[in-house]
Amino acid sequence: MNPILADIYSTILPSAPYIIAAYALLWVALLVYVLVVFRGTKKAEAQLMLLEEAVADRAAKGE
Amino acid sequence: MSDKKLKLPEVGQWPDKLVAPALIAGAVLSTVGFLMAFFYVAPVGGATVNGAELIGDVMVSQKMLLSQKIFYFHMPVAITSFIALGFGCYYAVRFLMTKNQRFDTCSRICLEIALLFVALTMITGEMWTRFEWGVWWSWEPRLTTYLILMLIVIAYFVLRSSVDEPERRGTFAAVVTIIATIDVPICFMITRLIPSSIHPVVLREGGMSPEMGLCVGLCALGMLCVGFVLYRARFNQVRLTQRVEALKETLDDERA
C-alpha cells in the first residue's frame, strides 16, 4: 500500500477492538436486563400458580 | 385527590398494545442503523496526512476515523436515558401530587431503564475516550456532568433501599428523581455553555451530514423503542410480583 493510503487507514485496525467492545457490551447489557426481567416474570408466575393451588385447596377443604 | 378518579397505569392498557410493534421497530431500526453506520455513512476524517489519495470518487487527505462509528449508538442511548429520566420525573411529580404508590412504581422502573441506558452511554463513551483521547477518563465538562447524573441515579436506588416506609421512600425518591432530571438539560447544554475542545457539539447546523443525521435518527428511534419495550416488560413483571405479594398477605390474614 502506498504510504499516504497507509497513513489514511492507520487508525482503522487499532480502533476495531474498541468499536467491537462498545457494540458487544451494549447488546450484552440489554440482553442481561431482558433475562433478569424474564426470570423475574417466570418466578412471579410460578408463585401465582402455587397461590392459586393453595386457594383452591382451602376452598375444597372449606366445602 | 381520590384514587377512584385517578387513571392508574396498569397492565393490559393501550401501551401494552404497542409493545409488539415497538419490539419489531426497535429490532429493525437498530439493525438498519447498525448496517448504515458501517456500510452507508462515510467515515469522518481525523488528522490531516501529508498528501492526498483518491478513495472512491473523493480526494482524501485525512485519517479515517472508524472509532467515530461508536457515536451512532452512543448518542441514541444517551437520548434514551434522558427521555427515561423525563418520564421518571413525570411519574415522580404525579406521585408527589397523589401519593399513589403506582406512580412511585412507574417512576422507579423509569429510573431503572434510565440507569441501564446511562451505563450504556458510559460504556460506549469510554471505548471512544480510550481510543481517541488515550485515557479511560477525562474530567471534561460533558463527562463530569454525566457522571454526576449517573451517581444521582445510583444514589436514588441506595436511598430507596434504606427507607422502609413506602410513602416516605416514594417522597424522597421523587425528590431525587426531580434533581436528576434537572441535571439532564445541564448535561445536554454543557458543551455549549463551557466550550470544550474535545467533546464535540453535534446537534447544531452543519454538525452532521444528512447521512449521519439519518443514521443517528434511526438508531435513536430504535433505542427508544427498545427502551419502551423494556419498560413495559419490567412494569408487567413488577405488577405481577406486587399482585402475588398482595395475594400472599390476604391469605396470611385469612389464616390468622
Side-chain angles (χ1 to χ4, degrees):
Chain A
M1 190 184 282
N2 80 49
I4 297 173
L5 271 182
D7 205 6
I8 287 171
Y9 288 125
S10 64
T11 64
I12 300 286
L13 275 182
S15 66
Y18 295 94
I19 298 160
I20 294 166
Y23 279 91
L25 289 171
L26 190 151
W27 290 109
V28 165
L30 287 175
L31 189 66
V32 166
Y33 189 78
V34 168
L35 287 176
V36 168
V37 172
F38 183 74
R39 280 191 62 182
T41 307
K42 286 283 156 202
K43 192 178 162 190
E45 281 172 353
Q47 284 180 332
L48 192 63
M49 271 180 62
L50 286 174
L51 283 171
E52 280 172 350
E53 281 173 20
V55 171
D57 282 353
R58 184 177 294 184
K61 280 176 191 168
E63 286 167 8
Chain B
M1 200 183 290
S2 110
D3 280 4
K4 283 178 187 171
K5 288 178 187 170
L6 275 178
K7 187 156 172 59
L8 295 174
E10 186 51 284
V11 176
Q13 288 175 337
W14 66 266
D16 276 340
K17 291 177 185 149
L18 299 178
V19 167
L23 183 61
I24 294 165
V28 170
L29 290 172
S30 53
T31 306
V32 170
F34 178 82
L35 294 173
M36 273 183 78
F38 285 92
F39 299 111
Y40 176 67
V41 185
V44 299
T48 51
V49 298
N50 192 18
E53 276 294 325
L54 193 67
I55 302 174
D57 297 327
V58 184
M59 284 300 288
V60 179
S61 60
Q62 291 173 303
K63 289 185 179 183
M64 296 283 195
L65 293 182
L66 189 69
S67 57
Q68 185 269 341
K69 303 291 182 192
I70 294 172
F71 161 80
Y72 295 108
F73 272 76
H74 173 66
M75 189 179 161
V77 290
I79 289 171
T80 310
S81 72
F82 289 158
I83 290 175
L85 266 171
F87 276 100
C89 183
Y90 165 74
Y91 285 122
V93 170
R94 294 215 63 187
F95 171 78
L96 290 177
M97 288 165 67
T98 63
K99 296 290 176 189
N100 189 295
Q101 287 297 319
R102 188 69 54 78
F103 294 119
D104 180 47
T105 302
C106 292
S107 183
R108 172 167 64 88
I109 297 168
C110 285
L111 266 282
E112 265 185 38
I113 302 294
L115 182 58
L116 175 69
F117 280 91
V118 164
L120 292 176
T121 309
M122 279 293 189
I123 289 168
T124 50
E126 282 311 298
M127 293 299 134
W128 159 267
T129 307
R130 183 69 188 92
F131 182 73
E132 282 302 325
W133 303 345
V135 290
W136 283 110
W137 183 258
S138 160
W139 292 104
E140 186 266 345
R142 170 65 67 78
L143 263 68
T144 307
T145 48
Y146 204 74
L147 176 70
I148 292 168
L149 180 69
M150 187 169 86
L151 292 176
I152 295 172
V153 178
I154 292 170
Y156 170 93
F157 289 102
V158 174
L159 179 75
R160 283 196 76 93
S161 63
S162 63
V163 182
D164 288 332
E165 206 270 303
E167 190 168 323
R168 278 184 69 217
R169 183 177 58 211
T171 306
F172 291 161
V175 172
V176 175
T177 306
I178 292 165
I179 292 169
T181 313
I182 290 169
D183 195 29
V184 168
I186 297 172
C187 273
F188 188 76
M189 295 300 292
I190 197 74
T191 48
R192 292 160 178 81
L193 297 172
I194 307 173
S196 158
S197 60
I198 45 178
H199 214 122
V201 180
V202 180
L203 287 183
R204 62 183 156 84
E205 199 179 336
M208 281 191 281
S209 68
E211 293 82 16
M212 288 169 76
L214 178 66
C215 185
V216 169
L218 288 179
C219 292
L221 268 177
M223 280 296 121
L224 283 172
C225 289
V226 169
F228 171 73
V229 171
L230 292 179
Y231 169 80
R232 288 311 294 185
R234 180 75 172 130
F235 180 69
N236 287 0
Q237 185 226 323
V238 170
R239 285 296 298 140
L240 190 62
T241 308
Q242 285 176 345
R243 282 206 293 270
V244 168
E245 292 304 319
L247 200 55
K248 273 184 193 169
E249 278 177 26
T250 309
L251 283 171
D252 286 345
D253 288 347
E254 280 178 14
R255 202 172 289 161

